[in-house]
Amino acid sequence: YNMNLFKLDRRQFTKILILISASLYSGKVFSMTDKEMTDEDWKEKLRPEEYDVLRNEGTERPNSSVLNNEKRVGDYLCVGCDSKIFTSEMKFDSGTGWPSFYDYIQGSLEFKTDFKIVIPRKEYHCAKCQGHHGHVFKDGPEPTGLRYCNNGIVLKFIPKA
């Protein structure tokens, strides 16, 4: 064995330690080969209005999404990474002007508390790309009683064949 292959300088050791700690802290598996998208990458991939919502936690105007009236059977994917977030069976007409769902695909979303309007709200993001999608309210239909109020601009609808 050539033991020199396993010797690390302090900087290399620190980087590896930070990566391992971050992976353990976040509960996510980190791969050294994963390419993190830069802000510029996102701007190239998304239209400006998608970028504003997905990356800057913006909000689209109410009643502006074509998905409000979507009635076909299919799946709703994150426009940033194509992760499946909702199915058409979860969708309902909330009358709020945004596509609304009473449940989501387990593991597809992560949550945090948003204080942007002073009153705390439960905000959700795509678990895969961390893109902002909307907020959860406790005024939805059964069986959950929840309303996932989503910005339609950051969803891609894929109809079932």
Side-chain angles (χ1 to χ4, degrees):
Y1 282 107
N2 182 353
M3 294 307 285
N4 289 332
L5 291 175
F6 298 104
K7 290 185 179 179
L8 301 173
D9 66 29
R10 187 182 311 172
R11 179 172 280 163
Q12 291 169 324
F13 178 76
T14 303
K15 281 182 182 179
I16 290 171
L17 190 61
I18 289 170
L19 291 173
I20 292 169
S21 298
S23 294
L24 293 173
Y25 177 75
S26 69
K28 296 180 183 175
V29 176
F30 180 82
S31 168
M32 299 269 258
T33 61
D34 286 347
K35 179 185 180 289
E36 289 291 322
M37 286 186 65
T38 67
D39 201 44
E40 288 306 313
D41 292 334
W42 283 113
K43 286 179 181 177
E44 284 181 30
K45 178 181 175 80
L46 303 170
R47 297 187 326 240
E49 56 274 17
E50 293 170 338
Y51 177 86
D52 181 54
V53 173
L54 206 68
R55 308 314 303 169
N56 292 329
E57 299 180 348
T59 302
E60 70 183 354
R61 290 185 338 273
N63 299 306
S64 64
S65 175
V66 297
L67 296 180
N68 284 333
N69 299 317
E70 182 58 65
K71 306 286 187 228
R72 295 175 291 172
V73 174
D75 296 321
Y76 293 86
L77 281 54
C78 174
V79 75
C81 66
D82 291 332
S83 181
K84 184 170 145 181
I85 299 177
F86 304 107
T87 66
S88 56
E89 291 80 17
M90 301 168 176
K91 189 172 187 273
F92 72 99
D93 183 2
S94 66
T96 61
W98 288 277
S100 297
F101 305 84
Y102 66 83
D103 207 356
Y104 66 99
I105 304 296
Q106 294 303 308
S108 68
L109 299 177
E110 293 179 348
F111 303 88
K112 73 176 188 176
T113 303
D114 167 15
F115 294 97
K116 288 186 192 92
I117 61 169
V118 180
I119 300 167
R121 298 182 296 171
K122 189 174 184 179
E123 182 178 318
Y124 60 93
H125 290 76
C126 173
K128 185 174 177 184
C129 72
Q130 301 302 304
H132 171 76
H133 277 264
H135 293 86
V136 185
F137 301 96
K138 295 179 180 178
D139 60 1
E142 293 302 323
T144 64
L146 299 174
R147 173 173 53 96
Y148 293 83
C149 186
N150 211 98
N151 288 284
I153 193 111
V154 293
L155 287 176
K156 181 189 317 184
F157 180 72
I158 306 296
K160 293 272 188 208

